[in-house]
Amino acid sequence: MCGRSGALDTTLHKLYLRLRQISFLRSLKGRIFLILLIVGLIPCFIMRYAILQNYEQRAVNVRTSDISTQVRILANHLINYHYLQDTSSEVINAELEQLSNLYDGRVLVIDANLRIVKDTYGISEGKTIISEEVIRCLRGQITSRYDRENGYIEMTIPITETLEADLPVGAGERIELVRGIMLVSASNDNIIATMDILNHQAVLLMSIVGVLIFVVTIFVSKFLFAPFKKMIAALDQVQEGYTSDPISVTDCLETEHIGDAFNRVLGRMKMLDDSRQEFVSNVSHELRTPITSMKVLADSLITQKDVPLAVYQEFMADIAAEIEREDKIINDLLSLVKMDRTSADLNISEVDINALVELIMRRLRPIAQRRDVQLVYESLRPVTASVDEVKLTLALSNLVENAIKYNKEHGFVKVTLDADHQFFTVKVEDSGVGIPADALEHIYERFYRVDKSRSREIGGTGLGLAITKSAVLMHRGSIKVESIEGEGTDFAVKIPLKYIAV
Ligand code: ADP
């Protein structure tokens, strides 16, 4: 059972695939034609069937009652002429012949002993006939049967004689006695011929409907698809580069929506392309700057004669600093590329956040001491969270390092760790130079620096906060900044304790 339904499924699937391959059905034009054809022809089929059935039924009924009337009249004549006893009456024979011709059939006259006394075909006279219909008819029942396959109606009608009862009880009452049977087989050829004509007319009508639907489909699809054709032409123009204007086909709502959606995608692609180009030019510029400095330093050593050793050492120290800077930019770029990948690249594990922050503070303490900045860490509760340890360390290190770098002499940096039942928060507050209000929205952009020369002087690449933000977003967290120029800056990072992969 299961095997058979499986085979049916496979066959249906193959049929579906086959239909899909037919390019006619893949076009909307083809589908509209098919739908209209089905919608138009199904009522035609139903009407044809109903009309033919109805006609046949009515025609058979009319013919049956017609035969019945004619035969009954003739049956009376048979009794009057005592035909069952003597079949020589020419009048009756002529009438029987006429009846037989009228219905293009055969008439049998059978007596009460089931003997055929007259056959208009003249082949069965004298024979005995026994059939269910004949027996029933002998009991006074009229029977009729329509043989559709062979196209005739067969009727048996009793030949009755009416007598007056001469018994003492019920005297004067009329009784009917069955004296014989008339069996008529009438041809239905004329009904079948009429049905054939009707059928032909129905087929003709359906063909006309089919042609009409075809013509209507051509006109309708031309009318319906005109906006889509315009749309395709407009898209081709954009693709071939003739225009970068937004697409607008307002002939119908659908094309208007498609156009709007396409313009949005196009806008986004343009934006991405612009930002990619800007990023590439920024990268090359940033990478070239240390190289240019090194070349200037090296050239000046080469062109000068008898350079004192102290100058050599000083220039070589500068070159080493530039190499270190180049190295930092490349490292930051690599970190950023890693952050740009999908969150599937996160290496999540249960991490003691207190220990992680403490480690960051320990690593950065020497830099803070060098700049005379006080580093304070306050942990409000023990926190463990599922995070990518390396990426989170990088993100928080950048924040604390910035807070140290952009600080004042004798300033402070305070790091606070807190948590609720869902998130942990790391706040990095500093007493530094602050960020101007109009720069706040740009600080997470790659290579953005509020004060380029100062940032470069203190070894900034302009990539730190971009890396931090990417890492925080990968953890499905958020980052906020508040700053007052000249007074200090507060960064707050909020990250879920449990990482939920989407
Ligand atoms: P950079 O490597 O130059 O520090 P970032 O992306 O880390 O780059 O920071 C971008 C810019 O934001 C910095 O150049 C600096 O001007 C500003 N900035 C970041 N953190 C602070 C801070 N704590 N205080 C003042 N300015 C800051």
Side-chain angles (χ1 to χ4, degrees):
M1 187 71 191
C2 182
R4 207 185 311 158
S5 85
L8 183 72
D9 278 359
T10 327
T11 317
L12 284 177
H13 188 67
K14 273 187 191 159
L15 186 73
Y16 168 73
L17 291 179
R18 186 93 199 90
L19 282 176
R20 275 198 55 168
Q21 276 172 359
I22 303 173
S23 57
F24 166 76
L25 284 182
R26 293 187 65 196
S27 79
L28 276 182
K29 240 186 231 178
R31 288 179 193 185
I32 288 181
F33 176 65
L34 208 70
I35 290 169
L36 287 182
L37 204 68
I38 291 169
V39 170
L41 286 190
I42 283 182
C44 286
F45 267 111
I46 295 172
M47 267 168 62
R48 173 177 161 243
Y49 180 76
I51 288 173
L52 288 180
Q53 280 286 313
N54 209 336
Y55 168 76
E56 189 178 20
Q57 190 73 44
R58 271 183 64 79
V60 168
N61 286 348
V62 167
R63 200 162 171 82
T64 312
S65 86
D66 198 23
I67 296 169
S68 163
T69 317
Q70 295 283 344
V71 173
R72 263 191 240 221
I73 294 168
L74 194 57
N76 279 339
H77 288 187
L78 290 183
I79 291 294
N80 294 343
Y81 280 82
H82 304 289
Y83 189 78
L84 289 168
Q85 291 80 34
D86 176 10
T87 58
S88 62
S89 163
E90 277 184 23
V91 180
I92 299 297
N93 280 336
E95 278 186 31
L96 283 170
E97 208 56 47
Q98 204 182 347
L99 189 74
S100 161
N101 289 340
L102 182 67
Y103 294 117
D104 191 14
R106 182 180 185 183
V107 181
L108 297 182
V109 180
I110 303 156
D111 68 11
N113 299 322
L114 302 181
R115 197 175 59 85
I116 299 170
V117 294
K118 175 71 183 173
D119 176 0
T120 51
Y121 280 10
I123 44 177
S124 301
E125 280 163 10
K127 289 182 184 163
T128 303
I129 181 166
I130 300 172
S131 74
E132 196 194 322
E133 282 87 3
V134 170
I135 307 287
R136 269 164 54 199
C137 191
L138 212 53
R139 292 192 195 126
Q141 223 177 320
I142 296 175
T143 69
S144 86
R145 185 166 65 86
Y146 171 44
D147 185 338
R148 191 175 208 198
E149 222 156 85
N150 299 311
Y152 67 86
I153 300 171
E154 193 178 84
M155 285 192 79
T156 55
I157 292 159
I159 305 167
T160 53
E161 189 177 359
T162 313
L163 296 173
E164 266 193 31
D166 51 359
L167 296 166
V169 182
E173 254 183 44
R174 287 168 165 269
I175 50 168
E176 287 202 333
L177 286 177
V178 178
R179 297 291 190 202
I181 298 152
M182 281 187 76
L183 193 151
V184 183
S185 297
S187 156
N188 254 358
D189 284 353
N190 56 347
I191 296 179
I192 290 167
T194 315
M195 277 177 64
D196 271 350
I197 293 170
L198 283 176
N199 199 14
H200 277 129
Q201 282 175 348
V203 170
L204 188 74
L205 187 80
M206 278 161 61
S207 313
I208 293 172
V209 170
V211 172
L212 270 178
I213 286 171
F214 183 69
V215 174
V216 167
T217 309
I218 290 173
F219 279 107
V220 166
S221 47
K222 251 203 174 148
F223 171 72
L224 280 181
F225 297 127
F228 287 97
K229 271 195 175 160
K230 258 194 203 175
M231 186 88 209
I232 292 168
L235 287 173
D236 280 347
Q237 279 199 346
V238 172
Q239 200 222 340
E240 283 158 20
Y242 290 130
T243 175
S244 58
D245 292 348
I247 287 178
S248 162
V249 180
T250 50
D251 300 29
C252 69
L253 265 181
E254 284 75 10
T255 49
E256 209 175 317
H257 287 165
I258 295 173
D260 287 349
F262 186 79
N263 289 336
R264 280 198 297 275
V265 173
L266 214 62
R268 204 172 142 60
M269 277 168 64
K270 236 174 102 56
M271 212 180 74
L272 285 175
D273 197 44
D274 288 351
S275 89
R276 192 180 53 87
Q277 272 182 15
E278 194 190 318
F279 180 65
V280 170
S281 79
N282 282 342
V283 168
S284 22
H285 174 77
E286 294 295 329
L287 288 177
R288 203 180 297 134
T289 316
I291 291 174
T292 317
S293 309
M294 284 187 267
K295 181 152 172 49
V296 171
L297 289 165
D299 279 352
S300 62
L301 282 182
I302 293 163
T303 47
Q304 281 179 53
K305 270 187 186 166
D306 304 328
V307 185
L309 184 65
V311 176
Y312 245 112
Q313 278 172 341
E314 191 194 328
F315 277 32
M316 286 313 280
D318 287 346
I319 289 175
E322 291 300 332
I323 290 172
E324 202 179 309
R325 196 174 139 62
E326 184 89 26
D327 187 49
K328 189 164 170 21
I329 295 172
I330 291 170
N331 278 337
D332 277 1
L333 275 172
L334 286 175
S335 303
L336 200 64
V337 170
K338 273 186 206 154
M339 298 291 177
D340 269 355
R341 293 209 197 121
T342 55
S343 51
D345 293 321
L346 278 181
N347 187 10
I348 301 288
S349 62
E350 282 295 303
V351 176
D352 178 348
I353 306 295
N354 292 71
L356 184 140
V357 179
E358 268 167 24
L359 185 70
I360 293 170
M361 304 289 275
R362 215 175 309 134
R363 277 193 204 145
L364 293 174
R365 194 146 273 137
I367 307 174
Q369 276 167 356
R370 234 178 288 144
R371 291 176 190 250
D372 194 15
V373 173
Q374 195 194 349
L375 257 186
V376 184
Y377 172 47
E378 187 182 2
S379 166
L380 299 178
R381 65 197 73 239
V383 181
T384 24
S386 35
V387 292
D388 182 317
E389 192 172 357
V390 176
K391 292 194 173 80
L392 189 68
T393 306
L394 195 60
L396 296 179
S397 297
N398 283 341
L399 289 182
V400 182
E401 201 180 331
N402 278 352
I404 299 167
K405 279 193 308 191
Y406 300 104
N407 220 311
K408 295 173 191 158
E409 230 175 291
H410 313 304
F412 72 88
V413 173
K414 186 181 174 194
V415 180
T416 318
L417 172 66
D418 195 4
D420 56 21
H421 60 287
Q422 262 190 310
F423 299 93
F424 69 89
T425 318
V426 180
K427 271 191 195 150
V428 182
E429 300 163 51
D430 68 56
S431 57
V433 293
I435 304 167
D438 57 344
L440 278 176
E441 58 180 308
H442 299 292
I443 53 171
Y444 301 108
E445 289 168 14
R446 294 149 177 188
F447 297 115
Y448 179 82
R449 280 158 288 199
V450 176
D451 181 345
K452 276 208 176 224
S453 56
R454 186 190 161 138
S455 164
R456 188 161 298 145
E457 212 175 281
I458 47 183
T461 60
L463 294 171
L465 285 181
I467 294 170
T468 300
K469 190 168 183 185
S470 290
V472 171
L473 293 184
M474 276 176 104
H475 283 87
R476 314 210 185 291
S478 63
I479 180 164
K480 273 189 196 154
V481 59
E482 279 172 24
S483 185
I484 301 174
E485 232 185 320
E487 283 190 25
T489 307
D490 295 356
F491 277 96
V493 168
K494 196 173 170 185
I495 289 178
L497 292 170
K498 282 262 159 266
Y499 174 77
I500 301 158
V502 179

